[in-house]
Amino acid sequence: MENISNLPVELPAKVSECSELRLNEMNLFDKLIGEFFDAIAERNPKHREWYRKISRSPQGAHQIAWKSGKPFSPHFLFFRTVDTARLMPMAYAEFRVQFWAHKFFWVERDAKKQGNVEQYDSVGFMRLTMVALAPELLLLRNRYDRGCGDIPIILTEWTSHKLNLAMEYWQALSRDEWSIEEKREQFVKVYKHFGRKAKPSFLQVDCLVRSLFLDPVIDYLPAFVIIMHNPRAEDGHARVLFQRPSFVPPPELVKEWPTGCGNPGCTKPDCSFIDIKETFCLQEGSPMETCDKMATVNGTTHPQLSSRLYSISKPPSIVEFEALCSQTTSKDTYPLAELISSNVPIYDLTSLHSVLSSPEKSSVLQDEWHHILKSGPGVLVLKHMYPDTFILGKANTVFRSIIASEKSSMKGDHFAAGGKNDRIWNSFNKHAMADPEGFVEYYSNPWMALVSEAWLGPAYQITAQVNVVKPGGAPQVSHRDYHLGFQDAKACARFPKAMHVASQLLTLQGAVAHSDMPLDSGPTRLLPFSQQFEEGFMAYRLPEFKEYFLNHWVALPLEMGDGVFFNPALFHAAGENRTNEVERSANLIQVSSAFGKTMETVEHLPLIEKCWDELHRKWEHEKMSQEVEAFIAAIGEGYPFPTNLDRRHPSPGGMAPMSQQDVLRKALEQGWGREQVIDTLKHMEDDNRVYPVKVLKE
């Protein structure tokens, strides 16, 4: 068993050190090329027509030539090589294929053959694979003059997801942008995705791939390496890792490359072992160097620390995201759950009532909930959280009155314009002011306290908003929630990576169903395990992540009185209400940690008023210098929450209202006087306050 706890920064870069992987070589060039052309002549003319078409096209004629008036033959097909620009006939480009596989792969092959099992032995397997790969091998090999005498093929039992994850890791590693710490972190992250049972393991293949490009014993640098996926899987093709971007076949050359393998006995029209349109390559001039990036400061060389920030220019890995979201939830992990549905643990609280009278049992239940929210699927359902629905019916009456009283304002929210649905911002405060007796009954629920403490500990603070989605209500776009979920990508990128994780630990999101919610009414769409993706706040707006969500979300029907609670970093979205009569109603619960507050109270307005003239003089002299920015950050609130969302509600798109710091920057740039600045900030402060609610009597 491999131990990565003391993983060295520099992994082996010599083929001799890849002891678990065994090499078998095969030189069947003459047979291979003969069988390929015979198959084309007799049964599979698609490749011949492709060569004819590409050699006559403006885009391909300078790369591939077919000698005029001559038959389709390797002696009359010529390739302009990428590395030397020589025009070389296919017949002269001999090569040998190197098959690398786990040593037990070859043992198992030969053992099955000896046992009279209908199975190819090692030689038969290699022969069959070479014939199947013939079209792509001949095309790729002939594009190079040097470095293709041996073509490495690594055989794995990996899925397509794991192949893509490994390819993206090697591409990123070749850019040589990671520090020592980051290299170790990134390797361990990928290794854990593969698990210990992968054959061969990611560590073994990683060592081999590095070795093929770096071992000084090898006197050439391979132009490409082919890595084959699990032969029993049907969800993808082999991947090609090119040595540099200039070696990748241009799109105009391969966009019409025919499907179908080169096996003469294969009749499947779409059979293909390699998709040469989906390619990966290393950075130009940096063939996966194992040396670590160093920084020189004052003439002294030190290991360079990893960046504390995510970069907008480096999109998160959709492959890594898919791997995380492909996990499954086991009932064995959460024995107190009634069942697991669509990877979501469901707890029937009527059978767990005795837990409330036992601190020990309560703690065990909270352990399960905490694990779900942090390290598990990220979401749980509490059936019968409010077994007495009379409490909810009474609250619904109050909520309808509040909605009626606020109807003229036509408030929207950050996903729907005003008038589309009904929304009560700060239903927590308004509920208490309108019906204190019902409010006490509602928030005396012990399950609310238990799940809140499970995630946040004591001294938490509850807020709530009512949302009523009417028949025909459109679905939301997938998103993450407060805090960073209310920022755009540019703002999120300014927060350190650690804060992207810490943000989700400061809030618990939830909802109490105030009506029955059949699936057609559009209960919340959920993507289990997506909260584990650390770059999620940078990712959820990107098209490929939105598309993945749309193809993989799950939803569960809820009954009036059920509760659902989830990590705010979970990708989620309200569903579409496709019913004609159901008004889907929920009280959205947001519970905040005690730690999201300063130790002392700061009165910002008097400080700004006192210092404005001096700040303005400094700005006139320096403009928006680092010093001016530093003072604005010290004297003004930079985060616009908490606020009164009735008066300062976010617009569709999820953008947060302006903060005090935003106002100060705007005031400096537009030349405001002190009086205008203070009036604007006072007006903002007034809008942040909560006012008593006048409730219409029915």
Side-chain angles (χ1 to χ4, degrees):
M1 182 177 293
E2 293 168 330
N3 182 3
I4 62 169
S5 59
N6 296 313
L7 179 74
V9 174
E10 293 190 17
L11 293 175
K14 295 181 180 179
V15 169
S16 60
E17 295 182 52
C18 301
S19 57
E20 294 296 313
L21 296 176
R22 204 180 84 194
L23 169 66
N24 277 346
E25 297 177 325
M26 180 163 283
N27 189 350
L28 289 175
F29 173 76
D30 292 334
K31 180 176 177 58
L32 177 67
I33 203 167
E35 288 190 7
F36 174 60
F37 278 83
D38 289 342
I40 288 177
E42 295 177 11
R43 291 180 295 276
N44 190 5
K46 292 185 296 183
H47 292 91
R48 178 182 60 198
E49 294 307 313
W50 180 85
Y51 276 103
R52 185 189 307 279
K53 184 176 180 179
I54 202 69
S55 64
R56 294 176 178 178
S57 68
Q59 298 85 3
H62 69 285
Q63 301 180 63
I64 297 177
W66 185 340
K67 194 168 183 179
S68 179
K70 297 297 182 180
F72 185 61
S73 163
H75 296 280
F76 304 121
L77 284 178
F78 295 80
F79 284 73
R80 181 74 65 183
T81 57
V82 176
D83 48 354
T84 63
R86 299 171 66 191
L87 198 62
M88 304 287 291
M90 180 185 284
Y92 291 177
E94 294 189 1
F95 60 93
R96 176 180 56 183
V97 177
Q98 297 179 328
F99 285 92
W100 293 88
H102 195 278
K103 57 186 180 183
F104 293 120
F105 175 89
W106 304 116
V107 173
E108 182 182 4
R109 282 277 170 187
D110 294 333
K112 286 184 176 180
K113 184 65 177 179
Q114 292 175 7
N116 294 321
V117 177
E118 290 187 2
Q119 190 73 252
Y120 291 99
D121 61 6
S122 298
V123 175
F125 174 84
M126 291 189 292
R127 187 188 302 270
L128 177 66
T129 303
M130 286 185 65
V131 172
L133 296 177
E136 288 77 17
L137 287 179
L138 291 171
L139 173 68
L140 296 178
R141 163 65 185 100
N142 281 274
R143 298 187 71 245
Y144 313 99
D145 191 3
R146 301 167 183 164
C148 280
D150 287 330
I151 297 179
I153 297 180
I154 305 174
L155 307 175
T156 76
E157 294 184 359
W158 299 351
T159 63
S160 291
H161 285 317
K162 290 180 178 178
L163 270 179
N164 286 339
L165 187 62
M167 289 290 184
E168 291 190 350
Y169 168 79
W170 290 319
Q171 283 189 141
L173 183 63
S174 75
R175 289 193 288 268
D176 200 23
E177 296 175 349
W178 288 337
S179 67
I180 297 174
E181 178 189 358
E182 269 189 314
K183 285 183 179 180
R184 185 177 289 109
E185 290 175 353
Q186 293 298 326
F187 176 86
V188 171
K189 183 185 294 185
V190 176
Y191 182 91
K192 287 182 177 179
H193 281 308
F194 278 72
R196 298 180 182 273
K197 295 182 179 180
K199 285 290 189 310
S201 73
F202 175 71
L203 174 61
Q204 293 163 352
V205 177
D206 184 45
C207 291
L208 177 59
V209 170
R210 294 166 184 254
S211 303
L212 291 171
F213 288 110
L214 290 167
D215 194 341
V217 174
I218 300 177
D219 58 2
Y220 68 91
L221 205 57
F224 58 88
V225 175
I226 297 173
I227 304 182
M228 296 188 66
H229 75 316
N230 188 337
R232 293 183 294 274
E234 297 182 357
D235 59 344
H237 307 272
R239 304 293 190 269
V240 184
L241 181 64
F242 290 89
Q243 180 204 126
R244 60 186 61 189
S246 59
F247 285 4
V248 177
E252 66 269 18
L253 183 67
V254 297
K255 65 179 180 180
E256 295 184 9
W257 177 255
T259 57
C261 68
N263 188 344
C266 180
T267 59
K268 296 180 180 179
D270 295 323
C271 177
S272 181
F273 278 54
I274 301 177
D275 184 356
I276 59 175
K277 303 182 185 73
E278 183 180 5
T279 57
F280 299 82
C281 63
L282 305 182
Q283 182 75 14
E284 189 85 24
S286 178
M288 282 212 296
E289 298 174 355
T290 54
C291 59
D292 296 294
K293 191 170 183 179
M294 307 294 282
T296 301
V297 181
N298 296 328
T300 305
T301 301
H302 307 275
Q304 181 170 321
L305 298 177
S306 60
S307 173
R308 76 190 192 289
L309 302 174
Y310 291 121
S311 171
I312 293 180
S313 63
K314 295 171 63 176
S317 168
I318 185 65
V319 175
E320 181 182 340
F321 183 71
E322 291 174 355
L324 280 174
C325 296
S326 298
Q327 300 175 75
T328 56
T329 306
S330 170
K331 177 69 167 60
D332 294 337
T333 308
Y334 310 113
L336 294 178
E338 180 74 15
L339 63 113
I340 307 295
S341 179
S342 299
N343 275 325
V344 179
I346 298 176
Y347 291 81
D348 184 356
L349 299 185
T350 57
S351 64
L352 294 173
H353 196 74
S354 62
V355 168
L356 296 174
S357 59
S358 169
E360 293 79 13
K361 292 181 180 179
S362 293
S363 184
V364 171
L365 181 59
Q366 287 178 308
D367 288 344
E368 283 195 16
W369 290 351
H370 186 89
H371 187 276
I372 290 169
L373 295 169
K374 182 176 183 291
S375 306
V379 55
L380 57 97
V381 171
L382 304 182
K383 296 292 293 182
H384 313 299
M385 180 179 174
Y386 283 84
D388 184 2
T389 57
F390 175 79
I391 297 175
L392 301 185
K394 189 176 179 182
N396 284 344
T397 300
V398 174
F399 294 156
R400 284 194 294 269
S401 297
I402 296 172
I403 289 169
S405 70
E406 296 179 345
K407 207 69 173 177
S408 60
S409 67
M410 296 289 286
K411 297 185 304 297
D413 57 29
H414 52 308
F415 292 102
K420 297 292 184 181
N421 300 316
D422 289 327
R423 165 78 71 163
I424 303 176
W425 292 113
N426 200 351
S427 62
F428 185 84
N429 187 81
K430 295 172 183 177
H431 189 179
M433 297 298 293
D435 181 17
E437 180 184 354
F439 179 81
V440 170
E441 287 183 293
Y442 193 99
Y443 287 101
S444 297
N445 189 295
W447 299 111
M448 182 88 74
L450 205 66
V451 69
S452 298
E453 281 203 9
W455 185 237
L456 302 168
Y460 54 82
Q461 174 64 63
I462 295 175
T463 59
Q465 307 90 33
V466 169
N467 197 39
V468 181
V469 180
K470 302 174 183 178
Q476 288 180 337
V477 177
S478 60
H479 60 283
R480 282 181 158 190
D481 274 340
Y482 187 83
H483 300 75
L484 287 175
F486 269 50
Q487 313 295 317
D488 59 23
K490 186 176 180 181
C492 286
R494 297 182 61 193
F495 288 88
K497 295 174 183 177
M499 291 306 300
H500 286 242
V501 177
S503 174
Q504 62 183 268
L505 303 176
L506 297 175
T507 309
L508 175 66
Q509 293 293 140
V512 176
H514 277 238
S515 68
D516 287 342
M517 297 183 181
L519 288 177
D520 281 349
S521 71
T524 303
R525 298 173 175 180
L526 309 159
L527 187 58
F529 302 102
S530 57
Q531 88 286 356
Q532 296 181 23
F533 190 57
E534 294 183 0
E535 294 183 69
F537 287 108
M538 301 297 297
Y540 77 79
R541 303 168 187 82
L542 299 177
E544 60 269 31
F545 288 88
K546 290 181 180 179
E547 181 180 3
Y548 184 87
F549 180 89
L550 288 174
N551 292 330
H552 295 87
W553 60 264
V554 301
L556 299 173
L558 299 175
E559 298 175 293
M560 186 175 181
D562 291 347
V564 57
F565 290 87
F566 54 90
N567 185 314
L570 190 83
F571 282 50
H572 66 282
E576 178 184 8
N577 190 343
R578 300 194 302 270
T579 69
N580 295 321
E581 69 286 337
V582 177
E583 290 195 352
R584 191 182 78 238
S585 177
N587 195 24
L588 309 180
I589 306 297
Q590 186 182 81
V591 192
S592 296
S593 165
F595 298 143
K597 300 176 182 179
T598 58
M599 188 170 66
E600 294 182 316
T601 300
V602 176
E603 294 289 346
H604 294 277
L605 258 61
L607 300 182
I608 293 171
E609 184 173 16
K610 190 73 173 178
C611 300
W612 175 256
D613 291 341
E614 182 60 30
L615 173 60
H616 192 269
R617 280 193 293 270
K618 188 174 183 64
W619 182 85
E620 285 184 325
H621 179 67
E622 304 174 15
K623 297 306 178 185
M624 200 62 70
S625 65
Q626 289 183 333
E627 288 79 5
V628 170
E629 281 282 10
F631 184 75
I632 291 174
I635 201 172
E637 290 270 16
Y639 195 56
F641 301 101
T643 188
N644 183 334
L645 289 168
D646 280 313
R647 292 170 170 260
R648 305 187 68 222
H649 55 269
S651 59
M655 297 301 100
M658 290 184 71
S659 68
Q660 287 184 346
Q661 291 182 16
D662 294 329
V663 171
L664 292 179
R665 293 187 188 97
K666 182 178 179 180
L668 289 171
E669 291 168 355
Q670 296 186 4
W672 293 5
R674 177 171 52 182
E675 185 176 342
Q676 183 179 0
V677 174
I678 300 305
D679 284 347
T680 301
L681 292 176
K682 283 182 177 179
H683 183 72
M684 180 187 293
E685 198 171 73
D686 289 340
D687 282 346
N688 283 338
R689 293 196 178 97
V690 178
Y691 292 88
V693 181
K694 179 181 179 182
V695 181
L696 297 180
K697 295 183 179 180
E698 295 184 343

